[in-house]
């Protein structure tokens, strides 16, 4: 039945399940077990010779779970031999199935495969170029939780003309999660002059604020 439903439209299935006897159309007693899915509802109405199935997509057509988080604070390392975990201060009001716990843990309530993407506003206050490494950690406060092959190494421009060096780091990973799993963003610097900073919006022209870090997680 599953393969049959994959290859044939609902209208064709409905046509096949009708019987024509002596010129009259009757429904057979066959039963289609069509189940709703994520944000999908089904409604069925019956008449003597017609079955109507109405499919409705909820949440404005959203199919997967998702979350968005950012920080209006700063991510500042105090030494060059330790790793630090990014803190988030804000969450999108309509997050669904992905939430923030303990300020650092992007936590997943539903099993699935998720695209996790970050954007970091990097700042270097020194007159020399310095480096930062950013990576993802899963379900653990130590190195054992580091997600393999998830690091990005970036050289941040030096300050110039009285202006701090600035750079946006943006990249993503795909990660399988179980309910209750969480992911954190971790970083280390080659010099403490490098940090992630929130920049205020401009006035000419008017521009929004730039958070120190933005993270989105969407089910794929």
């Amino acid at each position: 039945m599953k393969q049959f439903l994959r290859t044939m439209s609902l209208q064709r299935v409905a046509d096949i399940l009708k019987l024509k006897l002596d010129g009259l159309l009757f429904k057979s007693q066959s039963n289609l077990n069509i189940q709703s899915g994520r944000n999908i509802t089904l409604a069925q109405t019956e008449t003597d010779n017609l079955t109507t199935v109405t499919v409705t997509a909820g949440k404005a057509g959203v199919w997967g779970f998702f979350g968005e988080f950012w920080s209006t604070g700063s991510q500042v390392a105090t030494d060059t031999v330790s790793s630090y975990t990014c803190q988030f201060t804000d969450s999108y009001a309509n997050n669904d199935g992905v939430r923030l716990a303990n300020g650092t843990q992007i936590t997943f309530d539903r099993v699935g495969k998720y695209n996790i993407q970050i954007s970091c506003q990097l700042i270097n206050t020194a007159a020399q170029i310095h480096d930062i490494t950013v990576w993802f950690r899963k379900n653990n406060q130590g190195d054992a939780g580091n997600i393999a092959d998830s690091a990005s190494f970036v050289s941040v421009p030096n300050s110039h003309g009285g202006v701090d060096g600035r750079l946006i780091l943006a990249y993503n990973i795909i990660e399988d999660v179980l309910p209750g799993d969480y992911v954190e963003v971790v970083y280390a610097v080659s010099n403490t002059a490098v940090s992630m900073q929130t920049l205020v919006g401009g006035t000419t022209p008017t521009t929004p604020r730039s958070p120190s870090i933005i993270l989105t997680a969407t089910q794929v």
Side-chain angles (χ1 to χ4, degrees):
M1 176 62 77
K2 290 183 179 179
Q3 183 61 35
F4 180 74
L5 288 177
R6 288 194 190 102
T7 57
M8 310 194 74
S9 68
L10 287 177
Q11 182 60 52
R12 180 60 178 151
V13 170
D15 290 343
I16 291 174
L17 294 181
K18 296 173 183 176
L19 298 176
K20 199 168 189 178
L21 301 176
D22 295 330
L24 298 176
L25 197 60
F26 295 91
K27 288 189 301 181
S28 75
Q29 295 303 308
S30 299
N31 180 48
L32 287 178
N33 183 21
I34 305 173
Q35 298 182 0
S36 61
R38 166 69 175 151
N39 284 325
I40 298 295
T41 58
L42 302 175
Q44 179 172 314
T45 59
E46 303 281 347
T47 63
D48 288 341
N49 61 0
L50 180 65
T51 296
T52 301
V53 178
T54 302
V55 181
T56 303
K59 289 184 180 287
V62 173
W63 301 100
F65 296 100
F66 61 91
E68 180 182 14
F69 313 89
W70 63 95
S71 176
T72 58
S74 301
Q75 321 290 333
V76 179
T78 57
D79 63 60
T80 61
V81 296
S82 304
S83 62
Y84 297 85
T85 305
C86 288
Q87 299 278 337
F88 293 89
T89 60
D90 294 87
S91 302
Y92 176 54
N94 294 321
N95 283 344
D96 189 6
V98 186
R99 55 187 169 83
L100 177 64
N102 300 320
T104 67
Q105 301 169 356
I106 307 303
T107 305
F108 301 86
D109 293 330
R110 304 299 181 96
V111 64
K113 189 183 301 291
Y114 288 80
N115 180 359
I116 305 171
Q117 181 165 335
I118 58 171
S119 173
C120 305
Q121 178 64 69
L122 305 180
I123 299 294
N124 181 8
T125 60
Q128 297 80 35
I129 295 173
H130 292 297
D131 302 330
I132 185 171
T133 305
V134 182
W135 68 97
F136 293 93
R137 184 174 286 165
K138 184 177 180 182
N139 294 344
N140 195 290
Q141 297 295 332
D143 293 341
N146 292 341
I147 296 178
D149 303 318
S150 70
S152 284
F153 299 82
V154 180
S155 294
V156 185
N158 56 289
S159 62
H160 48 280
V163 178
D164 294 337
R166 300 174 182 177
L167 183 71
I168 288 289
L169 167 65
Y171 74 105
N172 68 292
I173 63 171
I174 302 293
E175 185 68 17
D176 292 310
V177 301
L178 297 173
D181 281 351
Y182 65 88
V183 169
E184 296 176 297
V185 182
V186 186
Y187 66 98
V189 299
S190 66
N191 189 287
T192 56
V194 174
S195 61
M196 301 182 198
Q197 297 282 345
T198 295
L199 302 181
V200 298
T203 56
T204 309
T206 301
T207 59
R209 178 174 53 193
S210 175
S212 63
I213 184 170
I214 301 172
L215 182 148
T216 61
T218 53
Q219 190 178 25
V220 296

